[in-house]
Amino acid sequence: MEISKTSRLSLVEQVVAQMEALIESGTWPIGYRIPPELELMGQFDVSRNTLREAIRALVHAGLLQTKQGSGTYVLTSSVLGAALEKRIQKASLLETLEVRQALEREAAHLASIRRNNEDIEQLRILLKKCQTAAKQKDRKEYVLSDMLLHKAIVDATHNSILIDLYDHMTTSIQASIENLAEMTNDVDFHIDPHKRLVHAIIDQNTDQAMAAVNEYIAQFKETLT
């Protein structure tokens, strides 16, 4: 069996790879305006045309966004994140909720098995923040605390792929939470199932944890009808 020789990366591909590394490592964080052309040309030791072609490739991939008269900014932290964001933007709110249910139910199951003392402390802190925000009817603070609580549950799975996948969907998931909060006019309408979810994870009761996820997602779906 003949094996074809691998082709060397072109200069443009090399610059793209280096820029992706800067983005994925957080050296260029989301929202960061990348350095001007002359600085990057010197940094990568390439011509203006090569640099511009590399930037165009990353804009097309969804990692960068060029704003006329302002500069070029980091839009997301990876190609996977960009691809997911593009796809989720085309999805309905119901479809997003169904994906949330699948991810968060499995996260609840794994977190119930794998959570450690540090995870438990973080879950209690964030649940308390959700409860305080709900009591004060502070919708903005509630949405933020709620999102952080879900992320903490996913982190408690200690599954790196699930954590990365959920992180890349965070923007769209947060948008779905905000949209539903606007539609309900009652910011604490799903505090109780969240309390049951956190307590079930702490008690390592996988069935109750998954049931709690099903409960608040069902409440969300009822809001859409």
Side-chain angles (χ1 to χ4, degrees):
M1 176 180 175
E2 292 186 4
I3 299 177
S4 59
K5 294 182 179 180
T6 56
S7 58
R8 294 181 179 179
L9 291 176
S10 69
L11 198 54
V12 171
E13 289 171 330
Q14 291 178 47
V15 175
V16 167
Q18 291 180 71
M19 285 184 165
E20 283 184 353
L22 289 169
I23 293 169
E24 291 179 357
S25 68
T27 303
W28 287 1
I30 295 175
Y32 174 76
R33 185 175 67 178
I34 69 173
E37 280 189 349
L38 286 177
E39 184 176 335
L40 291 175
M41 287 163 57
Q43 182 177 343
F44 297 123
D45 192 22
V46 294
S47 68
R48 178 176 275 105
N49 286 341
T50 297
L51 177 66
R52 287 182 175 178
E53 192 173 342
I55 290 174
R56 279 196 297 270
L58 290 172
V59 169
H60 180 73
L63 272 74
L64 296 178
Q65 180 182 38
T66 299
K67 298 180 181 179
Q68 191 169 4
S70 177
T72 301
Y73 296 81
V74 177
L75 196 58
T76 187
S77 59
S78 73
V79 174
L80 172 61
L84 281 172
E85 182 63 26
K86 285 182 179 179
R87 180 62 188 88
I88 292 170
Q89 285 177 356
K90 300 176 183 178
S92 67
L93 185 53
L94 177 60
E95 288 176 320
T96 303
L97 281 175
E98 289 171 345
V99 173
R100 276 193 64 190
Q101 183 172 15
L103 291 177
E104 293 178 12
R105 186 170 52 200
E106 182 59 20
H109 172 257
L110 293 177
S112 299
I113 298 170
R114 300 174 180 173
R115 91 288 182 275
N116 56 34
N117 289 336
E118 185 178 339
D119 297 324
I120 290 172
E121 182 181 1
Q122 186 69 2
L123 291 176
R124 283 175 170 157
I125 290 171
L126 291 170
L127 177 61
K128 182 66 175 178
K129 288 185 176 181
C130 285
Q131 291 172 315
T132 300
K135 185 176 181 180
Q136 296 174 349
K137 302 296 181 183
D138 187 338
R139 179 170 293 170
K140 183 177 180 181
E141 183 61 29
Y142 178 80
V143 170
L144 175 60
S145 298
D146 183 67
M147 192 68 245
L148 291 174
L149 176 61
H150 288 298
K151 186 179 184 306
I153 292 170
V154 174
D155 288 344
T157 69
H158 300 280
N159 180 310
S160 61
I161 297 177
L162 181 56
I163 291 168
D164 285 346
L165 182 59
Y166 196 81
D167 280 348
H168 291 315
M169 294 186 66
T170 296
T171 300
S172 294
I173 290 173
Q174 183 167 347
S176 74
I177 294 172
E178 290 172 344
N179 288 341
L180 287 163
E182 288 290 338
M183 293 167 66
T184 61
N185 294 319
D186 187 3
V187 75
D188 63 350
F189 76 102
H190 62 305
I191 269 291
D192 286 342
H194 277 65
K195 286 168 58 179
R196 286 191 282 275
L197 171 60
V198 170
H199 293 157
I201 290 172
I202 292 172
D203 294 340
Q204 294 194 301
N205 189 322
T206 56
D207 290 340
Q208 286 187 14
M210 290 189 291
V213 174
N214 288 336
E215 183 180 352
Y216 67 71
I217 292 294
Q219 290 179 350
F220 283 159
K221 289 180 179 178
E222 285 177 9
T223 307
L224 299 179
T225 59

